[in-house]
Amino acid sequence: MDFGIAAQGDLASTVLPWTSENGSNASFLVSGQPNISYAIALPPGSISMSRFADRVDVGQFRSFPSDVGVTDGNGKQMIYVGATRNAISLTQQRGNYSGNFTITIVY
């Protein structure tokens, strides 16, 4: 997921999941049996992107499809995920921030 360039004092920024890969959202391939439904569990709270000791929180994760997906006739489906990055404080250190999050597929 890529929130782009932000300056000190910027407001919160949202990356939408959309229905296809767009360069900002995250994408995951689910594969299994054909035409089977599965549940999608996103992080329930916030995660932190960090740069050394500095942090920016990201939360309000959402996906497409939302909650439940169905594999296609080949047993595959793409999931696209977006989230909201909190506002950037006026004292936030400049630099590249990164973090990890987990989605769980209940098949």
Side-chain angles (χ1 to χ4, degrees):
M1 199 172 317
D2 186 349
F3 291 96
I5 296 172
Q8 293 165 322
D10 276 358
L11 299 175
S13 175
T14 298
V15 169
L16 297 172
W18 296 109
T19 58
S20 63
E21 203 164 355
N22 65 15
S24 294
N25 60 0
S27 59
F28 302 89
L29 175 64
V30 173
S31 59
Q33 295 295 317
N35 306 309
I36 297 293
S37 63
Y38 59 88
I40 302 166
L42 300 171
S46 295
I47 61 111
S48 291
M49 294 190 307
S50 60
R51 178 184 175 275
F52 306 113
D54 299 309
R55 300 174 12 164
V56 176
D57 288 339
V58 173
Q60 299 176 15
F61 286 86
R62 49 190 90 52
S63 68
F64 180 87
S66 177
D67 300 326
V68 175
V70 179
T71 58
D72 64 16
N74 295 315
K76 299 184 185 313
Q77 185 176 38
M78 292 297 297
I79 299 174
Y80 304 100
V81 178
T84 299
R85 176 200 35 84
N86 285 0
I88 305 296
S89 75
L90 292 173
T91 59
Q92 188 76 42
Q93 293 297 311
R94 296 177 184 184
N96 293 324
Y97 287 70
S98 62
N100 297 304
F101 66 94
T102 300
I103 66 170
T104 302
I105 302 303
V106 182
Y107 181 75

